[in-house]
């Protein structure tokens, strides 16, 4: 039998199930990561499991999202997470040390290992041959407690790269090209393996720019082989002992193969408000730009920063543009400082922000009203920047800096000679901002520091045989978790306060939703295709649960969100006939009976009490998922299993 890279890793980590696409498999998890915006909840959940110390090979708690401390909330949450890490055996990456995915790639990722993280861009570490996946916080908590991670065995896609990129065309343009080809739902249910002769010219950070945006495709994971380029990167990080080579077998079978000839690519741009709304930069040249942001877990490596510095050296930022630079890690920033690149950037008039997510999640640096913002980030969902009518475009660092200089969208190929950038053979290694946990003997003495912002989180209820409720909201295709549970500097500090967060649920779509749903008591949401794409935030399930949502009936779901709904005890049902979506309206009362029998057979009948029409819904849950729903969510299920 010949295997793909991902299949090889899955085979090695399989604790349950058959490696057949569509079937549920359970995997042993070697490493976990959390960030602070999802971490607080994940640690509260972990605490309820009563495990004295994490059971993974390595677990790291990062602080990188909620770094603006405009009140006590974020600082309290940082202290809570730090004390949890110390007590329960995790490393703690202090605020300022960098964005979780960038730091994990530099310092901790290991080819061939499994990693799950409570952040959808965890797949970044696929750039060095890891099977790295985003997950809900509760799934990460279970993995920290030694439990397996359950996924639907994905299909295998292969992207073959041939040729060489032209000057000013970059790894980011490859990410945008695959989004153009596949769209934001094209990767759902698949692992995307990158290969072909074209990968030989891509360094690990460039590969990571590509795997990072696998999240935007909805893919379960994205992965590169581990080869001599990987070895070179690991040597530069002083970690060559962790290197293992990894490639697919020659006759490995793929469900889909996509070829991209790199020399044919031009600089690309994702237009508002979706990462797959792609055109060539040259086609919209001249559009006035108000703001440019360079950074995020997609494009904040030393290589990216050095290119930007080389291009902007000796020039000044256009007077009508505000330029921000957020290096991905302390390592990147300190190396920029040492080689003078930081001085060149500062001299241009750019604003240097801390090594954190920052503007990407609306944590400061929101654009002006109706402002056009060019960002090297991965998401441009409506309102995500913190400015409701802001217009965000996604681009490469080269395209970003070209606009920062000219003040308008500019094809970077017009910048003249491409920058010559040399990456040092050795990176500056200083792990002093990663704190080690207390020893097992001392752990019991460590006090958990809780602030007043931490409130109890809602628990699901055991499923009943029948269910009757009204439709509290009907939404269209590609609804993101940013629609369901917005982020941004004003709301993010309340990630451990579900009652407070609930006021903002679906605010972007319908500002009356929260009150209406609460007044209904129990309700159903109707969704279109790819419902819940984007972030892994389980708050997009916990908050609707708090507001009484018990069923979401959609055309299809994004992977992590569907898992989060089940974990929360909300039943995700899919339309069998897509036209039935048009038959339902907000306010209709629906009735579902024979739920248990339906779950066994995979089909449930939903009756619309307004007109007595019957709708067939699919519910292809695994035995474990049925039990979780029956128990009222994963936490109750874990508790009953333990009895
Ligand atoms: C994002 O990019 O949307 C986030 C913020 O990193 C999220 C996690 C979160 O909502 O806390 C993600 O991608 O999972
Ligand atoms: Fe942070 Fe943005 Fe990356 Fe999410 S996508 S982890 S908010 S930098």
């Amino acid at each position: 039998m010949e295997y793909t890279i991902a299949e090889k890793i899955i085979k090695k980590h399989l604790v349950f199930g058959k490696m057949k696409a569509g079937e549920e498999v359970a995997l042993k998890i070697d490493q976990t990561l959390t960030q602070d915006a999802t971490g607080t909840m994940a640690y509260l959940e972990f605490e309820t499991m009563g495990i004295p110390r994490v059971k993974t090979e390595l677990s790291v708690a990062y602080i990188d999202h909620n770094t603006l401390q405009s009140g006590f909330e974020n600082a309290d949450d940082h202290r809570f997470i730090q004390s949890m890490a110390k007590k329960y055996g995790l490393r703690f990456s202090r605020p300022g040390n960098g964005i979780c995915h960038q730091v994990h790639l530099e310092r901790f990722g290991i080819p061939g290992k499994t990693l799950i993280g409570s952040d959808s861009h965890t797949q970044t570490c696929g750039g060095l041959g890891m099977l790295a996946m985003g997950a809900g916080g509760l799934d990460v908590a279970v993995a920290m407690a030694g439990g397996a991670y359950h996924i639907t065995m994905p299909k295998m896609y292969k992207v073959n790269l041939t040729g060489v990129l032209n000057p000013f065309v970059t790894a980011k343009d490859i990410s945008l090209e695959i989004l153009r080809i596949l769209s934001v739902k094209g990767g759902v249910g698949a692992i995307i393996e990158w290969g072909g002769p074209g990968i030989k010219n891509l360094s690990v950070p460039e590969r990571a720019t590509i795997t990072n945006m696998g999240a935007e495709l909805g893919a379960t994971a994205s992965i590169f082989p581990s080869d001599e380029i990987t070895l070179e990167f690991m040597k530069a990080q002083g970690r060559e002992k962790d290197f293992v080579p990894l490639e697919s077998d020659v006759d490995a079978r793929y469900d889909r193969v996509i070829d991209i000839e790199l020399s044919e690519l031009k600089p690309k741009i994702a237009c508002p408000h979706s990462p797959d709304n792609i055109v060539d930069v040259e086609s919209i040249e001249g559009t006035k730009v108000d703001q440019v942001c360079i950074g995020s877990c997609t494009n904040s490596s030393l290589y990216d920063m050095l290119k930007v510095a080389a291009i902007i050296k000796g020039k000044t930022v256009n007077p009508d543009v505000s330029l921000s630079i957020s290096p991905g890690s302390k390592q990147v920033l300190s190396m920029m400082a040492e080689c003078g690149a930081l001085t060149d950037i500062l001299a241009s008039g750019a604003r240097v922000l801390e090594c954190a997510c920052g503007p990407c999640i609306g944590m400061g640096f929101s654009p002006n009203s109706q402002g056009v913002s060019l960002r090297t980030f991965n998401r441009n969902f409506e309102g995500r920047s913190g400015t409701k009518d802001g217009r965000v475009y996604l681009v490469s660092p080269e395209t970003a800096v070209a606009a920062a200089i000219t003040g308008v969208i500019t094809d970077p190929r017009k910048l003249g000679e491409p920058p010559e950038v040399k990456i040092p053979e050795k990176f500056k290694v200083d792990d002093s901002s990663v704190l080690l946990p207390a020893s097992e003997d001392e752990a019991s003495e460590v006090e958990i520091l809780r602030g007043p912002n931490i409130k109890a989180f809602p628990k699901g209820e055991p499923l009943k045989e029948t269910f009757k409720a009204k439709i509290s909201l009907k939404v269209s295709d590609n609804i993101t978790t940013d629609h369901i549970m917005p982020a941004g500097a004003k709301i993010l500090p309340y990630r451990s306060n579900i009652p407070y967060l609930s006021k903002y649920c679906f605010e972007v779509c319908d500002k009356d939703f929260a009150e209406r749903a609460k007044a209904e008591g129990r309700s159903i949401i109707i969704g279109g295709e790819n419902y819940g794409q984007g972030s892994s935030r389980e708050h997009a399930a916990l908050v609707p649960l708090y507001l009484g949502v018990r069923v979401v009936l959609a055309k299809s779901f994004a992977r992590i969100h569907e898992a989060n709904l089940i974990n929360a005890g909300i039943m995700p049902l899919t339309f069998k006939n897509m036209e039935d979506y048009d038959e339902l309206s907000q306010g209709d009362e629906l009735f579902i009976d024979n739920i248990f029998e339906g779950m066994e057979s995979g089909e449930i009948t939903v009756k619309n009490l307004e007109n007595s029409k019957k709708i067939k819904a699919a519910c292809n849950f695994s035995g474990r998922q049925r039990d979780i729903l029956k128990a009222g969510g994963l936490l109750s299920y874990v508790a009953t299993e333990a009895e």
Side-chain angles (χ1 to χ4, degrees):
M1 180 84 188
E2 306 275 282
Y3 294 106
T4 68
I5 300 173
E7 284 169 344
K8 285 185 184 182
I9 304 178
I10 292 175
K11 191 161 169 276
K12 249 189 147 165
H13 291 82
L14 195 67
V15 290
F16 166 82
K18 283 202 201 74
M19 288 174 47
K20 189 165 166 261
E23 300 225 347
E24 190 177 53
V25 288
L27 306 179
K28 177 183 172 299
I29 296 303
D30 302 320
Q31 297 189 351
T32 65
L33 68 80
T34 56
Q35 39 90 336
D36 45 334
T38 51
T40 328
M41 189 57 71
Y43 294 112
L44 288 170
E45 290 163 340
F46 176 77
E47 229 183 354
T48 67
M49 293 174 197
I51 306 282
R53 207 167 173 86
V54 292
K55 296 192 174 165
T56 47
E57 290 171 13
L58 175 92
S59 286
V60 190
Y62 292 91
I63 306 291
D64 55 0
H65 280 62
N66 292 352
T67 52
L68 287 186
Q69 290 156 226
S70 56
F72 63 90
E73 294 86 354
N74 289 344
D76 278 5
D77 285 354
H78 299 172
R79 272 159 47 98
F80 167 69
I81 294 175
Q82 179 169 351
S83 62
M84 286 295 292
K86 189 167 182 190
K87 190 175 181 71
Y88 290 104
L90 294 93
R91 313 251 175 130
F92 177 74
S93 174
R94 306 183 71 179
N97 193 43
I99 306 174
C100 55
H101 310 304
Q102 176 67 25
V103 177
H104 212 83
L105 188 80
E106 291 168 358
R107 307 300 312 140
F108 299 116
I110 299 179
K113 297 271 182 193
T114 51
L115 162 72
I116 65 168
S118 61
D119 192 284
S120 61
H121 291 103
T122 302
Q123 47 185 298
T124 309
C125 277
L128 44 71
M130 266 193 124
L131 183 64
M133 294 166 284
L138 185 48
D139 280 321
V140 176
V142 168
M144 290 192 293
Y149 179 49
H150 293 74
I151 54 167
T152 305
M153 182 67 196
K155 289 179 280 190
M156 298 291 144
Y157 288 5
K158 170 95 181 258
V159 186
N160 258 321
L161 300 182
T162 50
V164 178
L165 290 168
N166 282 315
F168 292 109
V169 188
T170 68
K172 179 59 163 280
D173 300 299
I174 305 177
S175 296
L176 298 177
E177 171 66 359
I178 192 71
L179 271 153
R180 186 190 67 78
I181 298 171
L182 287 176
S183 88
V184 289
K185 50 179 195 288
V188 176
I191 289 183
I192 301 179
E193 180 182 313
W194 293 80
I199 67 167
K200 292 290 166 214
N201 298 313
L202 296 173
S203 64
V204 167
E206 289 174 288
R207 293 174 179 190
T209 292
I210 296 173
T211 48
N212 173 277
M213 288 194 74
E216 280 50 64
L217 297 164
T220 304
S222 302
I223 195 161
F224 272 81
S226 171
D227 56 12
E228 61 284 359
I229 306 229
T230 323
L231 176 60
E232 199 183 306
F233 177 77
M234 299 201 64
K235 267 193 190 149
Q237 292 287 350
R239 303 203 291 120
E240 59 269 41
K241 65 167 189 0
D242 284 339
F243 173 77
V244 272
L246 195 61
E247 60 181 359
S248 52
D249 292 327
V250 184
D251 288 326
R253 289 225 312 270
Y254 296 91
D255 298 277
R256 184 165 175 189
V257 177
I258 297 163
D259 295 305
I260 299 180
E261 168 52 44
L262 298 179
S263 64
E264 286 171 9
L265 292 187
K266 293 177 179 176
K268 308 225 170 279
I269 184 164
C271 302
H273 298 284
S274 180
D276 61 359
N277 195 3
I278 310 283
V279 296
D280 288 337
V281 173
E282 63 186 6
S283 71
I284 54 165
E285 271 193 306
T287 308
K288 194 183 166 320
V289 172
D290 300 289
Q291 182 190 69
V292 173
C293 305
I294 298 176
S296 92
C297 57
T298 318
N299 278 117
S300 60
S301 67
L302 182 66
Y303 180 55
D304 287 328
M305 295 295 150
L306 294 186
K307 285 188 297 180
V308 169
I311 295 172
I312 211 154
K313 187 174 176 163
K315 303 191 176 77
T316 44
V317 176
N318 185 284
D320 294 330
V321 175
S322 181
L323 168 66
S324 76
I325 311 266
S326 327
S329 66
K330 188 173 95 172
Q331 182 183 70
V332 172
L333 179 56
S334 51
M335 290 180 76
M336 286 164 71
E338 276 177 9
C339 73
L342 184 61
T343 312
D344 295 335
I345 288 176
L346 286 170
S348 74
R351 290 168 64 180
V352 177
L353 308 183
E354 70 178 324
C355 306
C357 300
C360 179
I361 190 60
M363 196 43 82
F365 219 77
S366 300
N368 53 290
S369 300
Q370 292 164 26
V372 168
S373 180
L374 252 62
R375 301 176 159 213
T376 65
F377 306 169
N378 47 39
R379 291 186 172 146
N380 58 348
F381 305 144
E382 195 174 357
R384 181 177 161 100
S385 65
T387 302
K388 177 111 184 30
D389 57 9
R391 297 182 58 76
V392 176
Y393 294 75
L394 307 175
V395 293
S396 70
E398 281 82 338
T399 306
V401 74
I405 296 166
T406 61
V408 292
I409 293 179
T410 305
D411 189 323
R413 291 173 298 176
K414 294 203 174 137
L415 287 174
E417 281 303 301
E420 284 232 3
V421 164
K422 215 174 137 6
I423 296 294
E425 268 174 31
K426 285 267 170 240
F427 283 76
K428 189 175 159 63
V429 173
D430 167 12
D431 290 332
S432 58
S433 289
V434 180
L435 307 183
L436 295 176
S439 68
E440 279 187 53
D441 294 344
E442 290 163 359
S444 58
E445 304 298 313
V446 178
E447 190 197 341
I448 299 300
L449 307 172
R450 272 168 238 273
N453 192 33
I454 294 181
K455 298 278 182 283
F457 54 88
K459 304 247 166 63
E461 310 164 334
L463 203 63
K464 300 214 174 72
E465 182 61 343
T466 59
F467 181 70
K468 188 160 86 170
K470 280 193 179 165
I471 298 174
S472 52
L473 187 71
K474 182 177 176 185
V475 286
S476 53
D477 291 349
N478 293 322
I479 284 295
T480 71
T481 45
D482 277 83
H483 290 105
I484 306 172
M485 197 53 254
K490 293 194 194 98
I491 315 176
L492 271 171
Y494 300 96
R495 281 287 180 89
S496 41
N497 186 343
I498 300 288
Y500 182 89
L501 279 185
S502 71
K503 293 186 224 159
Y504 299 93
C505 188
F506 274 113
E507 200 196 23
V508 195
C509 306
D510 179 344
K511 60 176 181 23
D512 301 325
F513 167 75
E515 275 191 20
R516 187 167 62 239
K518 215 167 173 188
E520 276 307 326
R522 295 274 172 279
S523 71
I524 299 179
I525 289 176
I526 305 298
E529 279 190 53
N530 201 22
Y531 179 86
Q533 66 155 329
S535 155
S536 67
R537 59 190 76 146
E538 59 188 330
H539 305 77
L542 292 175
V543 170
L545 174 73
Y546 173 81
L547 291 173
V549 175
R550 292 291 176 268
V551 173
V552 180
L553 172 57
K555 289 186 183 172
S556 66
F557 288 90
R559 179 186 72 91
I560 305 177
H561 187 60
E562 186 171 28
N564 285 343
L565 287 174
I566 295 174
N567 286 351
I570 297 179
M571 193 154 59
L573 298 175
T574 40
F575 286 101
K576 282 213 127 172
N577 303 313
M578 298 304 145
E579 309 78 60
D580 287 340
Y581 169 89
D582 302 319
E583 300 287 326
L584 298 172
S585 309
Q586 190 177 304
D588 287 358
E589 192 169 29
L590 306 184
F591 178 67
I592 312 176
D593 61 358
N594 289 327
I595 292 185
F596 296 140
E597 207 183 293
M599 287 209 297
E600 294 293 329
S601 70
E603 186 178 295
I604 276 183
T605 306
V606 180
K607 190 169 170 192
N608 188 344
L609 297 179
E610 308 304 314
N611 52 20
S612 298
K613 276 199 183 147
K614 287 186 180 161
I615 285 174
K616 299 242 174 286
C619 54
N620 296 316
F621 305 129
S622 69
R624 174 180 163 274
Q625 290 172 326
R626 285 199 291 270
D627 291 343
I628 293 175
L629 286 169
K630 281 184 192 161
L634 183 56
L635 275 180
S636 315
Y637 168 76
V638 172
T640 38
E641 286 282 285
E643 272 165 20

